[in-house]
Amino acid sequence: MTDEIVCRIDALSHDGRGLHRPEDGGPVIFVAGSLPGQTVRARIIRRQKRFWEAQRTAVLEDVALAADICPHGEDCGGCPWQRLPYAAQLRWKGQLVRDALERIGGLGRDAALPLRPALGSPEQRAFRNKMEFAFGPADGSLCLGLRRRGGLQVLPVPGCALLPGEGLELVTACAGLAARSGLPAYVPPRSAAEEGRLRPRADKGRGRRPRRERPGAEDRGFWRFLVVRYGWPDPDPAQVAASDAPGRRWWLTCVTSPGTAEQRRTVARMGRELLDAFPCVQAFVHEERATPDALVAGERRVLCLDRRGEALPDDGAPLYLPLGGRWFGLDPASFFQVNSRAAELLAATAVEMLLSLRPDATPRRLLDVYCGAGAPGLLAAGHFDEVLGMEYDRRAVLLAERNARRFGFGNCRYEVGDAARLLTALAREHGPGHWDHALLDPPRGGVAPEALEALLHLAPERLVYISCNPATLARDARALSADYELMQVTPLDLFPHSPHVESVSCWQRRA
């Protein structure tokens, strides 16, 4: 059987690969590096009974495509759709949500899906307020960049189009200082990647109890990640919420393996050199992670330096980001949407769905499940008598409490813990309908089954579900649809040039 095929790409899969459906009904073929309308030559790399996987080796017939937005597109794993015109990207993202709800969720059989057109990102370049870069070995030294497509090898990306140029300058400087240290870059265990044990990115891992794995005994290197993000140290509430508003500063978080006292001093020296060289840097944070994986999340905060290079308490370097006309206080490691202007659309959509009630209905109590630092639930808090937020991350709960106080909301309280456990306890305490509204913003894994069961027992009149994964949204939609009617679902693009798509859906309890 030949290892090479020629095929025409018909569609796109949920992970961004091209899709070919043979006319003879044979296995569906997923072709990495291809786009709809192209005829490609591809090398088969895996055969299963119902599908094959392949890698494009040549484009034989092309279609009208957009120009590359950066020089790293062929190798970097960040923007597989960068040559797809943006209007087409939005159409396909809407189609991914539709396909998931119909095929996995079983919706749309009796009535048309109330699916709105996907809302696009106001900016398609330099739109990120935060990016995570990995250290990796390179020619006897180290480099700092993004993972190559389909692997763990690190690719320097000085021409990346997703982050403002100021941030890229910080990455270049940090790479040089780390290389000068002589300490090796960390290499994740390849067996973990092959066995599927690499955890998801830290941005969407909130709200779930993390799995514990025993660290490996071998030394796999020191430098792990650099996280760069911008915000404002003390924003003027009158400022317009804009990525170029006056006073923007950068926060740097360096994640390493656990180090000796001397290695920690090396990181501190690097932090002070960066603070001295770049007036735009507001704070430098050093965190350590012992678990042998590829998760961008520190397990222990070692050091926090202020603008003058002096040590601060662990929570002493807050930053603020705008959303919905308010400024949310965050920690450098906090989850918050990385596309500020598109996040405004997402938050406005969610709040509108929460509050668009029947004329005879009045909202009373809101459950904010997987609430993070309080966004976007606090944007609707003034319309409710009581708001209860739930979040596994203790630091995020402290931030949510502070944000509620800063906004003057005395009707909000927050609990730390696993959502399933907290909701189950709440269901034992309150009967159906006591909490008449619920806002869900789970990680990529969706709502835990036990949490969804408890939520269905609480029976809020209206649910608004913010999803970053169409497949888990569809799985949860199948469970919800027995008691709830899907009133509306709006896809949103917070990650242009990638297959990632957010959505906000509104569910009304059936009479």
Side-chain angles (χ1 to χ4, degrees):
M1 185 178 292
T2 179
D3 287 333
E4 268 202 340
I5 59 168
V6 172
C7 63
R8 180 177 173 81
I9 304 303
D10 309 308
L12 288 167
S13 66
H14 70 282
D15 58 4
R17 291 179 293 177
L19 189 65
H20 171 69
R21 293 188 175 92
E23 293 181 358
D24 62 5
V28 171
I29 304 173
F30 296 92
V31 183
S34 62
L35 296 171
Q38 292 179 329
T39 299
V40 302
R41 178 179 292 113
R43 177 173 53 86
I44 302 297
I45 56 178
R46 186 183 181 199
R47 285 185 171 91
Q48 296 292 321
K49 183 177 181 180
R50 299 180 62 183
F51 67 89
W52 294 357
E53 293 180 292
Q55 175 65 51
R56 185 209 75 198
T57 57
V59 176
L60 304 181
E61 294 182 18
D62 214 339
V63 292
L65 297 173
D68 288 333
I69 63 167
C70 87
H72 313 297
E74 281 296 311
D75 299 313
C76 174
C79 300
W81 286 7
Q82 66 168 293
R83 296 199 64 210
L84 195 63
Y86 192 58
Q89 292 185 35
L90 295 179
R91 288 196 300 273
W92 280 110
K93 292 192 181 197
Q95 188 64 42
L96 292 179
V97 174
R98 176 182 294 279
D99 288 347
L101 289 172
E102 290 179 346
R103 296 178 183 179
I104 301 173
L107 303 180
R109 294 173 180 171
D110 301 325
L113 277 176
L115 179 68
R116 290 191 172 182
L119 298 180
S121 171
E123 298 172 325
Q124 290 94 54
R125 295 187 183 216
F127 59 83
R128 295 190 68 120
N129 60 49
K130 173 186 176 184
M131 277 191 75
E132 300 160 346
F133 295 88
F135 288 97
D139 299 326
S141 182
L142 59 74
C143 64
L144 181 59
L146 301 179
R147 303 286 185 196
R148 285 185 180 270
R149 187 173 297 173
L152 294 175
Q153 187 179 3
V154 174
L155 172 75
V157 287
C160 178
L162 305 186
L163 192 68
E166 200 173 44
L168 293 173
E169 292 177 10
L170 296 172
V171 174
T172 300
C174 185
L177 292 171
R180 196 176 72 189
S181 74
L183 297 172
Y186 171 79
V187 179
R190 184 160 296 278
S191 61
E194 292 167 354
E195 295 171 18
R197 296 201 308 267
L198 291 186
R199 295 190 183 91
R201 297 170 73 90
D203 280 356
K204 288 293 183 180
R206 61 197 168 82
R208 288 285 183 83
R209 183 183 300 275
R211 290 183 298 162
R212 296 291 183 186
E213 293 181 6
R214 296 176 61 186
E218 69 276 19
D219 179 11
R220 306 198 63 87
F222 182 70
W223 301 103
R224 291 199 180 199
F225 300 99
L226 178 73
V227 182
V228 298
R229 76 185 305 174
Y230 70 69
W232 285 260
D234 187 17
D236 178 354
Q239 279 183 356
V240 176
S243 59
D244 57 353
R248 188 176 81 180
R249 296 290 184 269
W250 291 83
W251 279 252
L252 306 179
T253 301
C254 184
V255 182
T256 70
S257 298
T260 64
E262 180 55 36
Q263 289 170 336
R264 290 177 175 176
R265 285 192 289 270
T266 297
V267 180
R269 284 194 297 270
M270 180 177 78
R272 292 189 171 95
E273 287 190 50
L274 289 166
L275 287 161
D276 287 342
F278 294 92
C280 63
V281 177
Q282 181 69 18
F284 178 87
V285 176
H286 176 203
E287 296 186 339
E288 292 179 339
R289 183 171 185 82
T291 305
D293 58 13
L295 179 58
V296 189
E299 294 169 328
R300 180 175 186 271
R301 183 159 292 181
V302 178
L303 178 69
C304 184
L305 298 175
D306 68 8
R307 177 75 203 96
R308 296 168 296 178
E310 297 179 0
L312 292 167
D314 279 359
D315 61 351
L319 67 141
Y320 296 84
L321 283 173
L323 186 69
R326 298 186 181 274
W327 290 87
F328 283 81
L330 306 170
D331 179 85
S334 295
F335 169 79
F336 210 73
Q337 294 291 355
V338 302
N339 184 335
S340 294
R341 288 186 170 169
E344 295 283 353
L345 299 176
L346 184 148
T349 302
V351 171
E352 179 187 6
M353 289 184 183
L354 272 175
L355 303 179
S356 58
L357 298 169
R358 299 189 308 270
D360 59 339
T362 301
R364 295 176 299 147
R365 300 182 182 92
L366 171 66
L367 281 176
D368 190 358
V369 187
Y370 309 102
C371 66
L378 282 171
L379 299 179
H383 296 272
F384 291 89
D385 297 331
E386 184 179 359
V387 176
L388 174 58
M390 300 178 176
E391 171 61 52
Y392 187 82
D393 183 350
R394 184 176 300 276
R395 183 177 289 167
V397 166
L398 292 174
L399 289 167
E401 292 173 339
R402 292 175 190 170
N403 285 325
R405 288 195 297 270
R406 286 180 58 246
F407 301 156
F409 292 133
N411 59 332
C412 300
R413 61 187 175 94
Y414 295 90
E415 295 186 359
V416 180
D418 178 74
R421 179 179 62 80
L422 293 175
L423 285 169
T424 299
L426 200 65
R428 287 196 294 265
E429 181 181 353
H430 297 295
H434 179 83
W435 297 92
D436 55 341
H437 281 63
L439 175 63
L440 310 176
D441 190 3
R444 287 191 63 80
V447 181
E450 299 85 353
L452 196 57
E453 181 180 353
L455 193 64
L456 289 172
H457 176 80
L458 287 165
E461 184 72 14
R462 174 161 294 193
L463 292 168
V464 173
Y465 190 133
I466 300 173
S467 169
C468 61
N469 184 345
T472 53
L473 166 66
R475 179 203 66 198
D476 296 341
R478 180 178 286 274
L480 287 171
S481 60
D483 297 323
Y484 287 83
E485 180 182 356
L486 177 59
M487 307 300 293
Q488 179 184 321
V489 56
T490 301
L492 299 101
D493 183 20
L494 274 72
F495 299 92
H497 319 302
S498 81
H500 297 293
V501 57
E502 313 279 317
S503 66
V504 185
S505 56
C506 180
W507 301 79
Q508 189 72 29
R509 185 166 177 81
R510 300 183 191 277

